[in-house]
Amino acid sequence: MKIKFLGHASFLITTKDNIKIITDPYKSGAFGGAVGYKPITEEAHIVTISHEHDDHNYYQNIKGNPQILKGTVEKEISGIKFIGIEVYHDISKGKERGKNVIFLIHADGLKLLHLGDLGHQLTNEEKKKLGEIDILFIPVGGYYTIDAEEASELVEFLEPRITIPMHFKTTVLDFPIASVDDFLVGKKNVKMLNVSEVAVTKETLPKEREIWVLKPALI
């Protein structure tokens, strides 16, 4: 499997059978130009959308006529299992920013969890439903989502083998959120990879838990 960080909360996941999944595609130039990442030009077979905000739901220009997955869902497509679990964008059960869907993806013998714009901690019941996570995509910038400290607590709670931070401040994102650096303070086994794309298989998962910081491709 290949994982490419496009930018913000959007990743291109390519399975060994060349099935392409894009998570939370943003609209370039959204929010008055605050989302300054370049337009997504990748093709996809499947697109997952955590919630209906323009920095997470802009699938209209995704090439390849993909299937769009939203909301609470349990579906298998091309041998890949998708489970969408409804949570919230805030700590007030959606009263501030609405609902959010976290997507559990079973592909190539790996379990990936994309948290979208999660705004609160998960429960023991939700953790039990999710099971063991191999790769976690987690927002760390705060303000609109859980912040660095809350994200750190959640990583300890879920214990993924690989944690990939997302939804943080960059030079092209004019949101009042923190950079990834706040999340990395005091962390062990951090890999600053300085690349946008990595390859991973069940066999090559690290023996100890690691944090992989990817470089957004579309800056």
Side-chain angles (χ1 to χ4, degrees):
M1 172 184 293
K2 291 180 181 178
I3 297 171
K4 184 177 183 179
F5 186 23
L6 302 178
H8 204 38
S10 191
F11 293 84
L12 171 65
I13 299 162
T14 306
T15 71
K16 61 181 175 58
D17 294 326
N18 207 36
I19 302 299
K20 296 180 182 295
I21 305 158
I22 289 180
T23 67
D24 278 14
Y26 57 82
K27 183 177 183 179
S28 181
F31 298 101
V35 180
Y37 290 105
K38 296 174 184 175
I40 296 171
T41 59
E42 306 279 3
E43 293 186 10
H45 299 94
I46 304 150
V47 172
T48 64
I49 291 174
S50 64
H51 66 291
E52 297 293 349
H53 288 163
D54 281 352
D55 53 330
H56 292 263
N57 72 347
Y58 192 64
Y59 66 86
Q60 287 83 351
N61 282 1
I62 302 295
K63 299 173 184 176
N65 192 30
Q67 292 193 54
I68 310 300
L69 299 182
K70 303 180 182 182
T72 302
V73 65
E74 188 163 341
K75 193 166 188 177
E76 187 167 318
I77 304 170
S78 301
I80 304 166
K81 187 175 181 181
F82 296 85
I83 301 174
I85 301 170
E86 191 174 89
V87 290
Y88 299 102
H89 201 323
D90 53 61
I91 60 172
S92 306
K93 295 192 173 181
K95 291 178 182 177
E96 298 170 57
R97 297 191 176 92
K99 295 177 179 178
N100 177 70
V101 173
I102 60 177
F103 273 96
L104 185 64
I105 304 171
H106 297 250
D108 292 354
L110 295 166
K111 286 177 68 178
L112 294 73
L113 180 62
H114 188 284
L115 295 178
D117 264 8
L118 182 67
H120 58 89
Q121 296 294 346
L122 298 178
T123 64
N124 286 316
E125 184 179 342
E126 288 162 339
K127 179 183 178 181
K128 187 176 180 181
K129 187 182 294 186
L130 294 168
E132 293 185 4
I133 304 301
D134 294 310
I135 303 172
L136 177 68
F137 304 91
I138 186 167
V140 300
Y143 195 84
Y144 303 111
T145 69
I146 54 175
D147 61 19
E149 183 178 345
E150 293 163 329
S152 299
E153 291 173 6
L154 190 53
V155 169
E156 290 306 308
F157 183 58
L158 295 176
E159 299 182 304
R161 299 288 288 278
I162 298 169
T163 296
I164 300 179
M166 63 178 187
H167 208 277
F168 50 79
K169 180 84 169 179
T170 67
T171 56
V172 299
L173 186 71
D174 191 18
F175 281 173
I177 61 178
S179 73
V180 70
D181 296 339
D182 288 9
F183 173 70
L184 300 178
V185 172
K187 298 288 194 302
K188 297 178 180 178
N189 297 329
V190 175
K191 290 192 171 182
M192 304 294 293
L193 297 176
N194 203 35
V195 294
S196 300
E197 187 173 66
V198 290
V200 61
T201 65
K202 190 73 174 177
E203 293 71 31
T204 60
L205 283 172
K207 291 182 173 60
E208 294 186 19
R209 288 160 48 201
E210 294 181 353
I211 297 170
W212 292 7
V213 182
L214 299 181
K215 181 180 178 182
L218 298 179
I219 283 184

